[in-house]
């Protein structure tokens, strides 16, 4: 496994890989790798010849007062997991390498990136779009693998790729849940046992609404009530949104066709997101 | 010569070209092709195996009240010139193809794109960066050829390419001047003979300052005075800037090291730009 952070060297290598007719898959991560990330790596391996993983806690997607400084960094463990899973290359740049002196180029995907997560975290998707474009260019990947857990992120990035005609196809992979059904997240380590117990009502709400839907309940207001009532039993310390949205526009859904439940709430100071398509 | 505006078809074709180990050169244009554009095509042919020319009057780089509607459109003549020069593919998209319903992804190269041309035309470089990124992605070009006439444009795009790690190298090609030394521009057709006669003082000013510099004059204030006095003899109807700048930052130069003269002025309602490196 190659571990490198020299962009010119990597681009030269990736050019060679492409000349050999191999397909390249990228799994962009901020490290603190868990089974969710590794499921993306596995999916990439099923579909591509060369697996490129990036480990970079991207400063431009964190706003003031967010958890950039305390975000878990576990590089050696991450490298071990990548090696074990048969990753071909891990790119581990510093901030200086990614954003040198006087850096000023940013990509904005307006509209869809300004609601929900974008409303709470105004510069978040600008940072995500910018870093992903850089990573796509550095890896020269044919396919990019992203987790459904960050549902809006996938929607924003797919729109960006389509609109900029970027020569890459993005693949959304299922959410991986822990044994207690909490969606895996690098931020789960912040939760106290008491907070985690309350947070478990998130997936209970998701599953309850989905179950009702599958059993024939198509009234969106009834489903909203099941969802919200269940989650509020966990007494979240703050709710950003618990609602049902249109999968394409991420606007509030008027009916259950093509709908997705999206949730963002805080337990203690830890902000969790989760979702489920109906 | 292929003439096509189907992005998916072109990207599939360009992938094949790359697999054959050929290098691709792109010359992005807004059409109304003149000898300046054709010098870029010639330079591309010297350096690349496959020559991709785009002809697209890009709406996102024109502001309110600018000349988008009246910008000269001469597609058949442009195609004839490309054919004659041995261009391999001409991409001639519509606005709808480039910016579909709900389009919202834009690239901003801040700082350097907010001064000079950017100060007068606030959304101009956002449009240029966005359309060029799309064209680079569609053409999959290894090299992009741009005229020195749009000096700041080249500086902004080079910064964007470097900062986004785009796998393309940009080449700046010399200004081509008419027999009377006016820099070639598709907008010159707007000039009345009287306006054109006054505009000729632009290149007289440039050449006078350059000649003084070459003969040993290194006092930037003396050079500024030669430049400005000469150009003002042509009584421009409006001056945006006539000055000497640092080539890298495009900030006002303190001395003549690494300097470039940049000019933007109006004759009648026609805005002209020109420049010369010292």
């Amino acid at each position: 496994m190659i571990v490198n952070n020299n962009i010119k060297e990597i681009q030269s290598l990736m050019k060679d890989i492409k000349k050999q007719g191999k397909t390249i898959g990228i799994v962009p991560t901020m490290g603190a790798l868990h089974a969710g990330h590794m499921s993306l790596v596995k999916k990439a391996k099923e579909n591509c010849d060369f697996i490129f993983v990036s480990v970079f806690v991207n400063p431009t997607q964190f706003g003031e007062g967010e958890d950039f400084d305390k975000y878990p960094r576990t590089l050696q463990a991450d490298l071990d997991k990548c090696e074990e899973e048969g990753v071909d290359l891990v790119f581990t740049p510093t901030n200086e390498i990614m954003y040198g002196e006087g850096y000023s180029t940013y990509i904005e995907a307006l509209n869809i990136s300004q609601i929900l997560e974008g409303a709470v975290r105004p510069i978040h998707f600008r940072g995500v779009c910018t870093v992903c474009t850089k990573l796509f260019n550095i890896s020269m990947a044919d396919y990019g693998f992203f987790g459904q857990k960050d549902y809006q992120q996938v929607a924003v990035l797919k729109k960006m790729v389509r609109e900029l005609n970027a020569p890459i196809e993005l693949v959304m992979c299922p959410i991986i849940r822990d044994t207690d059904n909490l969606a895996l997240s690098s931020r789960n380590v912040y939760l106290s046992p008491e907070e985690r117990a309350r947070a478990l009502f998130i997936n209970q709400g998701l599953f309850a609404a989905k179950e009702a839907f599958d059993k024939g309940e198509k009234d969106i207001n009834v489903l909203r009530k099941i969802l919200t009532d269940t989650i509020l039993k966990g007494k979240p310390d703050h709710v950003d949104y618990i609602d049902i949205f249109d999968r394409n526009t991420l606007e509030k859904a008027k009916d259950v066709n093509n709908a997705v439940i999206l949730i963002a709430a805080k337990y203690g100071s830890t902000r969790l997101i989760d979702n489920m398509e109906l």
Side-chain angles (χ1 to χ4, degrees), chain A:
Chain A
M1 186 176 79
I2 300 163
V3 180
N4 196 335
N5 61 22
N6 183 305
I7 292 174
K8 288 288 162 208
E9 280 176 30
I10 291 176
Q11 284 185 315
S12 163
L13 172 69
M14 300 320 289
K15 249 186 195 170
D16 287 344
I17 303 286
K18 279 187 109 71
K19 268 188 196 150
Q20 294 165 32
K22 291 184 181 171
T23 56
I24 300 163
I26 184 170
V27 180
T29 82
M30 299 210 298
L33 301 184
H34 51 61
H37 299 107
M38 301 326 286
S39 77
L40 302 179
V41 171
K42 286 187 184 104
K43 184 78 176 174
K45 279 186 73 80
E46 285 168 33
N47 289 273
C48 300
D49 303 313
F50 189 98
I51 310 306
F52 185 117
V53 171
S54 60
V55 174
F56 178 56
V57 184
N58 174 38
T60 65
Q61 72 190 68
F62 288 81
E64 281 292 320
E66 291 185 14
D67 58 344
F68 176 71
D69 286 330
K70 74 163 183 170
Y71 197 87
R73 288 161 171 89
T74 59
L75 184 59
Q76 191 51 57
D78 295 343
L79 293 176
D80 292 346
K81 284 176 185 166
C82 286
E83 177 100 58
E84 198 177 317
E85 206 58 68
V87 168
D88 295 286
L89 185 148
V90 183
F91 176 52
T92 57
T94 60
N95 293 349
E96 194 46 49
I97 287 170
M98 290 295 269
Y99 302 107
E101 174 89 19
Y103 187 95
S104 65
T105 306
Y106 294 97
I107 298 177
E108 301 205 277
L110 306 174
N111 306 340
I112 195 174
S113 74
Q114 295 170 312
I115 54 177
L116 300 168
E117 289 301 288
V120 183
R121 311 178 67 187
I123 65 159
H124 179 65
F125 287 119
R126 187 181 83 144
V128 169
C129 286
T130 301
V131 79
C132 283
T133 294
K134 287 169 67 68
L135 292 169
F136 297 164
N137 282 336
I138 293 165
S139 65
M140 302 185 185
D142 302 284
Y143 297 90
F145 297 85
F146 291 85
Q148 181 180 335
K149 170 136 177 310
D150 297 296
Y151 197 88
Q152 188 179 7
Q153 171 174 278
V154 180
V156 167
L157 288 174
K158 280 193 169 181
K159 188 169 200 291
M160 176 191 81
V161 161
R162 191 172 63 243
E163 294 194 337
L164 292 183
N165 312 107
I168 185 169
E169 189 177 314
L170 303 192
V171 181
M172 184 165 84
C173 306
I175 296 176
I176 306 297
R177 296 181 182 279
D178 215 331
T179 47
D180 60 5
N181 266 338
L182 190 67
L184 288 186
S185 164
S186 304
R187 291 186 170 99
N188 290 352
V189 298
Y190 303 153
L191 293 167
S192 72
E194 184 272 337
E195 288 162 356
R196 183 169 181 123
R198 288 193 283 126
L200 291 181
F201 284 94
I202 293 176
N203 54 67
Q204 288 190 26
L206 289 170
F207 282 96
K210 177 80 165 100
E211 198 188 348
F213 176 80
D214 289 343
K215 282 186 178 160
E217 180 57 66
K218 307 293 163 181
D219 183 329
I220 196 163
N221 291 319
V222 173
L223 294 170
R224 273 199 180 104
K225 188 163 161 44
I226 294 171
L227 173 73
T228 310
D229 285 354
T230 310
I231 295 176
L232 293 183
K233 280 183 199 162
K235 299 193 190 310
D237 294 299
H238 177 80
V239 173
D240 282 324
Y241 49 85
I242 300 174
D243 215 326
I244 305 175
F245 301 88
D246 180 274
R247 285 185 208 178
N248 296 327
T249 63
L250 302 190
E251 305 282 351
K252 196 163 163 166
K254 293 193 181 69
D255 56 53
V256 294
N257 292 322
N258 198 43
V260 58
I261 303 170
L262 300 177
I263 286 162
K266 275 189 174 177
Y267 296 85
S269 60
T270 303
R271 190 170 179 277
L272 299 178
I273 60 174
D274 203 340
N275 68 83
M276 190 173 283
E277 292 186 341
L278 286 180

